[in-house]
């Protein structure tokens, strides 16, 4: 009777819990997923704040890139100097 009960349930081998690098990657992926979910929830609750922050970060990144691009160009030398 006990043999019939054992064959009626789960027949596959259980997966081993992740160890080493797999555990670290899984933990990091779970953390990123939680943070992305929190960010999406915050953006849906406060759309104007999210839009303002996105535009501010975008404009700041553009300004930094523009300044760095302008500073990397050689100065123009006048012929008549």
């Amino acid at each position: 009777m006990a043999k019939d009960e054992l064959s009626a349930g789960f027949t596959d081998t259980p997966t081993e819990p992740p160890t080493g690098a797999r555990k670290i990657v899984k933990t990091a992926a779970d953390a990123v997923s939680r943070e992305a979910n929190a960010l999406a929830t915050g953006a849906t609750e406060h759309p104007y704040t999210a839009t303002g922050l996105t535009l501010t970060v975008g404009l700041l990144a553009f300004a930094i890139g523009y300044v760095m691009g302008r500073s990397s160009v050689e100065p123009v030398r006048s012929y008549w100097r």
Side-chain angles (χ1 to χ4, degrees):
M1 182 162 177
K3 196 170 195 171
D4 292 336
E5 290 175 9
L6 290 177
S7 65
F10 182 72
T11 58
D12 198 4
T13 58
T15 59
E16 295 179 10
T19 58
R22 286 180 41 204
K23 183 177 182 180
I24 293 170
V25 169
K26 182 170 176 20
T27 304
D30 290 342
V32 168
S33 176
R34 281 193 312 272
E35 291 299 321
N37 190 18
L39 182 66
T41 302
T44 56
E45 290 177 3
H46 308 285
Y48 295 114
T49 304
T51 303
L53 284 173
T54 303
L55 286 174
T56 302
V57 169
L59 288 173
L60 197 67
F62 177 79
I64 291 171
Y66 180 78
V67 169
M68 289 179 70
R70 292 289 292 170
S71 67
S72 67
V73 176
E74 292 182 20
V76 177
R77 296 192 177 125
S78 176
Y79 179 75
W80 301 105
R81 209 176 210 192

